[in-house]
Amino acid sequence: MKALITGASAGIGKEIAYILSQDKVEILLVARNQEKLINISKEIPGSHFISADLSQTAGILKLLEYCEDKSFIPNYLINNAGIGVGSSFANQRLSSVEEMMFLNMNAIVKLTHHFIPKMKDLETAKILNVGSTAAYQAMPGLAAYAATKSFVLSFSRALQEELKDTNITVSTLSPGPTRTDFISSAGFGSEIQKQAKKFEMSAKEVAHIAVKGLYENKKEIIPGLMNYFSTKIIRAIPRTPVERIVKSIYFKDQ
């Protein structure tokens, strides 16, 4: 059994790699930070890695060429790599937003499109696309980011239906606040970081739930009861009040 995990140098991706390796899965670690990949690969026997920037077409081609050269076809394709850009959309650098959109959406589409025909010949074949609870509502302060995660959710659910008569299953992981560097790297200040810590799950907790859901062929995996119920409640509430509440949170220290 083989797994390709993007965004594997930290957070949820790294923890999924550790869990799958315990099930004797051969791991291909993919991320930009080569130093971190080297250290993680030393801790996971039999794993290998490639440093590639998947926010650029060249990085995706580098990864796919590597897989072709090594005849590496994953039983588990874990599309975990993603970034966030926060604050008022008008104040964000367009180049940063476009890079985020490419990584969060285009990279998943390109890798999935490449591997589906190859994975159809495998006995076990599963795709896990990592979204977010942000996919379930518009989020002022994370406008483009939430939109990319809505894309991931919609794309994944449609693929699951298209592939239901094949051997390939498609799952979407939608975590809420997780103990990673997402909030700080997205550009939010100390107040938002402080609020997020109240609801955070550890990356290890999320990864265990993700792998369990993947094995069980769940369409949507939402770790944490609070996160699960919040996505259900949001659907029953008029959108405008929800958007105003989100805005009041994410604009607090801007």
Side-chain angles (χ1 to χ4, degrees):
M1 300 289 280
K2 300 179 180 180
L4 188 161
I5 306 175
T6 68
S9 63
I12 297 169
K14 181 179 77 172
E15 297 298 338
I16 289 177
Y18 286 132
I19 294 167
L20 290 179
S21 69
Q22 292 170 5
D23 291 338
K24 309 303 181 184
V25 177
E26 179 186 344
I27 310 292
L28 173 57
L29 306 159
V30 185
R32 286 188 291 191
N33 192 314
Q34 181 165 315
E35 184 177 349
K36 287 185 177 180
L37 289 174
I38 291 172
N39 292 333
I40 295 168
S41 67
K42 290 177 181 177
E43 298 175 7
I44 300 178
S47 66
H48 39 126
F49 67 87
I50 177 171
S51 173
D53 182 357
L54 302 184
S55 68
Q56 306 294 325
T57 299
I60 294 175
L61 292 176
K62 178 182 178 182
L63 170 59
L64 296 182
E65 287 172 5
Y66 177 92
C67 290
E68 288 293 317
D69 290 342
K70 301 293 184 180
S71 299
F72 188 92
I73 303 172
N75 299 91
Y76 305 121
L77 174 60
I78 314 294
N79 288 310
N80 169 72
I83 54 176
V85 178
S87 79
S88 169
F89 175 72
N91 294 332
Q92 295 169 7
R93 285 191 309 170
L94 183 58
S95 59
S96 297
V97 175
E98 290 176 326
E99 181 181 79
M100 174 187 68
M101 292 173 67
F102 191 97
L103 179 60
N104 292 6
M105 297 187 293
N106 291 30
I108 288 178
V109 170
K110 288 177 180 289
L111 293 180
T112 303
H113 189 269
H114 176 84
F115 282 112
I116 280 178
K118 302 174 185 298
M119 292 172 72
K120 283 183 177 179
D121 294 328
L122 303 176
E123 185 175 345
T124 300
K126 300 178 185 296
I127 298 170
L128 177 69
N129 293 329
V130 178
S132 166
T133 51
Y136 294 87
Q137 71 280 318
M139 297 191 69
L142 283 169
Y145 170 78
T148 66
K149 294 305 183 179
S150 292
F151 172 87
V152 172
L153 178 60
S154 178
F155 174 67
S156 301
R157 285 191 63 90
L159 271 188
Q160 173 68 53
E161 185 63 24
E162 288 184 11
L163 296 170
K164 71 177 183 179
D165 295 325
T166 74
N167 61 316
I168 303 175
T169 63
V170 183
S171 302
T172 309
L173 173 67
S174 297
T178 307
R179 206 166 299 130
T180 64
D181 61 358
F182 170 80
I183 292 291
S184 58
S185 64
F188 289 108
S190 58
E191 181 62 30
I192 297 299
Q193 294 181 49
K194 181 179 177 182
Q195 292 298 319
K197 288 183 184 298
K198 296 178 181 179
F199 307 102
E200 282 180 343
M201 297 177 67
S202 72
K204 183 177 289 187
E205 286 178 295
V206 173
H208 274 287
I209 294 168
V211 173
K212 183 175 184 292
L214 180 68
Y215 285 165
E216 294 174 353
N217 302 329
K218 288 188 175 181
K219 284 186 178 182
E220 294 183 36
I221 306 165
I222 305 174
L225 282 176
M226 182 177 293
N227 293 323
Y228 176 81
F229 285 118
S230 70
T231 62
K232 303 304 177 185
I233 292 169
I234 283 169
R235 292 173 177 174
I237 300 175
R239 293 181 181 181
T240 299
V242 173
E243 291 159 5
R244 287 175 180 167
I245 291 170
V246 172
K247 180 182 177 182
S248 70
I249 295 171
Y250 283 96
F251 278 70
K252 190 170 290 185
D253 58 355
Q254 293 185 39

